[in-house]
Amino acid sequence: MKTLAHAALTAFLVIALTAGNTLAGSPGHTTLVLDLESCISTALQAAPEIGEAQADLALTSSKLEEAKAYRYPQINVMSLFGPAPGAKREDISPTINTNKSFSIRDLTWFASTDLTITQPLWTFGKISENMKAATHGTEVDKSKKQQKGNEVALEVKKYYYSVLLAREMQTVLAELQLYMLQGKKKIQELIDNESDSGDPMDLYKLDAYSGEINKYMEEALKGEQLATAALKARLGLADNVDVTVATERLELPDEPLPDLNSAIKKARLQRPEFKQLKEGMAARTALVEAAKANYYPDIFLAGMASWAYADNRDRIKNPYISDTFKHAYGGVALGLKWHLDFGITSAKVAGEQAQLNRLESTKVYADNYIPLQAKKAWLEMQEAQKNVSITQNAYQSAKKWGAAALANFDFGIGNPRDVFDAVSIYGKMKAAHYQSIFDYKMAKANLEYALGDHQAISPK
């Protein structure tokens, strides 16, 4: 019977896949057949979360480059061009004319350029500490990107295994439908032969069972469609591209459980959140020091040059007299710039210190929660592995029970109720068996996530 059910299901799948290939062959429409690794790789390429994390990383990298650039000279240049009053040497020599009248006909044009250059010499840690903060900030964003990748991989695994679970449920239900069909045929024969074992009430019971099985079949079909649609959305496929999973069966891998203590140690070593906290605390510590550096001045070397020219003005060569519109001079100097306030800097230091304290509290939470998360996933994996074996023994026993009950019924010494009960338990236990395999695979996926097993993320 099971063989027939499988044959029917295989035929259905062949028809479905044939229809899919027809669509795939139609112009502009394709169907991708992907295994789990290919699905994860495609999802990582398409995930908007990865794009956002990459943009955040680029932003932090630009801040690092900005912090480094403060080590180099800064140059300011300002040029002007406009009208200027004409001026002659005679206006101030031999005596200064203090009542010269203005005439628009005396206007001329001037051009000027002022250049200043400053080179920081000592900033008491403002530049170096900001560089440290930006460097650690870059590492934080790299870990965030890795964390997003792990989250995407976990989500893909859930959809992928959900598709397989829905298909296995359909197989079980198809097998039960076949049993119901054969049972109805047998009871009808007994009724037609006016056998004492033939009871029309049994037909009603079978119809009721069949209705329930058909209802579950519809749910399984809907579940497969929803999981496939979610997987397609996660992969970022276009409307004219469909996806189907390459794995045919939901099977329990032949592997031992990892050692729990080793798993927890591994989580502490490679979980991206731990690295984020470590690098984030280093960045915040550097920002605290950078804020404290604002208590001190900046020492710098400065150079300046100024040039201005106006055609209708005489050049005055006298260090006591400066002509805005016609001059040329320059020089270098050692400078000190010191900003003093009454509480602004100390408030900024306190703010950065508060952010650092917050991260220290978050680290305490992570130290407790992440190992707990790993242990929870490990225990769920252990439970599911045992349940796979338990449910397998249960549905195999139920199958033997059903065969014996059916034989007794055929001989007219059994009760059809025993057959119904055996088939019902068989269906429930076999469904529970595949549910346990699904639970095992998801518990393993959760454990891999809890351990921070890295997913390779190709650069976008």
Side-chain angles (χ1 to χ4, degrees):
M1 294 179 183
K2 184 177 179 181
T3 304
L4 290 173
H6 279 292
L9 179 64
T10 302
F12 170 76
L13 290 175
V14 168
I15 293 170
L17 290 175
T18 303
N21 290 333
T22 301
L23 288 173
S26 61
H29 201 111
T30 56
T31 299
L32 300 177
V33 182
L34 301 177
D35 60 14
L36 179 58
E37 293 302 320
S38 299
C39 286
I40 292 174
S41 176
T42 305
L44 291 176
Q45 286 290 322
E49 303 97 311
I50 303 297
E52 291 175 353
Q54 182 61 40
D56 290 341
L57 179 58
L59 177 62
T60 309
S61 299
S62 70
K63 289 182 178 178
L64 174 59
E65 294 304 316
E66 180 185 351
K68 289 180 179 177
Y70 279 110
R71 297 175 297 174
Y72 305 119
Q74 295 187 42
I75 300 173
N76 291 314
V77 177
M78 184 173 71
S79 294
L80 295 174
F81 178 77
K88 295 299 182 183
R89 184 175 292 105
E90 291 77 16
D91 295 335
I92 58 171
S93 178
T95 59
I96 297 175
N97 183 2
T98 59
N99 191 26
K100 184 181 179 182
S101 60
F102 173 77
S103 172
I104 197 168
R105 290 176 299 181
D106 292 337
L107 285 177
T108 184
W109 295 99
F110 86 98
S112 68
T113 297
D114 294 289
L115 179 148
T116 58
I117 178 170
T118 56
Q119 170 62 56
L121 298 179
W122 192 256
T123 62
F124 294 90
K126 294 185 184 71
I127 296 177
S128 59
E129 294 299 333
N130 276 307
M131 283 174 56
K132 282 184 189 175
T135 301
H136 291 297
T138 302
E139 294 301 318
V140 169
D141 282 338
K142 286 180 181 176
S143 296
K144 284 183 178 177
K145 182 181 175 184
Q146 189 60 59
Q147 181 187 350
K148 292 295 181 185
N150 291 350
E151 291 172 358
V152 170
L154 178 61
E155 194 175 352
V156 169
K157 290 176 184 176
K158 182 178 73 174
Y159 297 146
Y160 193 92
Y161 295 141
S162 295
V163 172
L164 292 178
L165 176 63
R167 288 182 179 176
E168 294 292 0
M169 291 300 178
Q170 291 170 44
T171 306
V172 174
L173 293 167
E175 189 177 4
L176 295 179
Q177 284 177 330
L178 186 60
Y179 287 153
M180 293 298 106
L181 190 61
Q182 292 172 340
K184 285 181 67 175
K185 184 178 178 182
K186 180 65 180 176
I187 293 172
Q188 189 61 54
E189 287 177 358
L190 294 172
I191 294 172
D192 292 343
N193 293 332
E194 297 181 352
S195 170
D196 293 339
S197 301
D199 188 346
M201 188 178 294
D202 294 334
L203 285 178
Y204 303 147
K205 290 179 181 177
L206 280 177
D207 286 339
Y209 277 123
S210 297
E212 188 176 15
I213 292 169
N214 292 339
K215 173 180 174 293
Y216 288 134
M217 177 63 86
E218 292 302 319
E219 290 182 2
L221 290 169
K222 182 190 72 175
E224 182 183 357
Q225 292 174 0
L226 281 177
T228 303
L231 182 62
K232 176 181 175 180
R234 185 69 273 185
L235 301 186
L237 300 180
D239 292 340
N240 61 343
V241 179
D242 291 330
V243 63
T244 185
V245 301
T247 308
E248 295 181 355
R249 299 301 306 268
L250 187 63
E251 296 176 334
L252 183 70
D254 184 14
E255 59 187 10
L257 285 177
D259 179 68
L260 178 58
N261 292 328
S262 300
I264 292 175
K265 288 180 182 176
K266 191 175 179 183
R268 292 186 186 278
L269 284 176
Q270 63 181 30
R271 185 71 180 257
E273 288 89 333
F274 277 125
K275 187 174 182 182
Q276 286 177 46
L277 285 169
K278 178 184 174 184
E279 297 293 339
M281 290 174 65
R284 283 295 169 191
T285 301
L287 288 174
V288 170
E289 296 302 318
K292 289 180 179 177
N294 288 325
Y295 286 124
Y296 305 101
D298 294 339
I299 299 173
F300 60 91
L301 184 66
M304 60 87 65
S306 180
W307 170 87
Y309 177 81
D311 185 52
N312 194 23
R313 292 177 71 93
D314 290 336
R315 180 181 296 279
I316 304 301
K317 296 182 178 179
N318 187 327
Y320 289 99
I321 300 175
S322 177
D323 185 351
T324 304
F325 302 108
K326 195 164 189 175
H327 64 261
Y329 54 81
V332 295
L334 188 64
L336 182 145
K337 183 180 178 182
W338 200 345
H339 172 77
L340 298 175
D341 58 60
F342 300 94
I344 297 175
T345 301
S346 60
K348 289 182 177 178
V349 172
E352 295 297 343
Q353 185 63 50
Q355 293 287 345
L356 176 59
N357 295 341
R358 186 175 187 276
L359 283 182
E360 289 175 346
S361 298
T362 304
K363 185 176 183 304
V364 173
Y365 175 78
D367 283 338
N368 295 326
Y369 176 73
I370 290 179
L372 177 62
Q373 188 184 29
K375 186 173 184 178
K376 176 176 179 292
W378 188 90
L379 289 173
E380 289 174 347
M381 202 170 161
Q382 183 187 52
E383 178 192 14
Q385 190 180 50
K386 291 179 179 177
N387 285 340
V388 170
S389 177
I390 291 171
T391 53
Q392 184 176 23
N393 291 333
Y395 82 72
Q396 288 176 346
S397 296
K399 189 172 185 179
K400 294 174 184 175
W401 172 23
L406 185 61
N408 290 338
F409 182 67
D410 285 341
F411 287 121
I413 58 175
N415 189 334
R417 177 71 188 178
D418 291 337
V419 179
F420 300 151
D421 290 344
V423 171
S424 176
I425 294 297
Y426 171 76
K428 288 179 181 177
M429 287 296 102
K430 197 162 187 180
H433 173 70
Y434 287 115
Q435 181 66 51
S436 297
I437 297 176
F438 173 82
D439 293 342
Y440 176 87
K441 286 186 171 293
M442 283 311 303
K444 182 182 177 183
N446 286 325
L447 181 61
E448 290 171 347
Y449 176 80
L451 301 187
D453 283 342
H454 290 187
Q455 299 294 331
I457 304 174
S458 301
K460 285 194 171 185

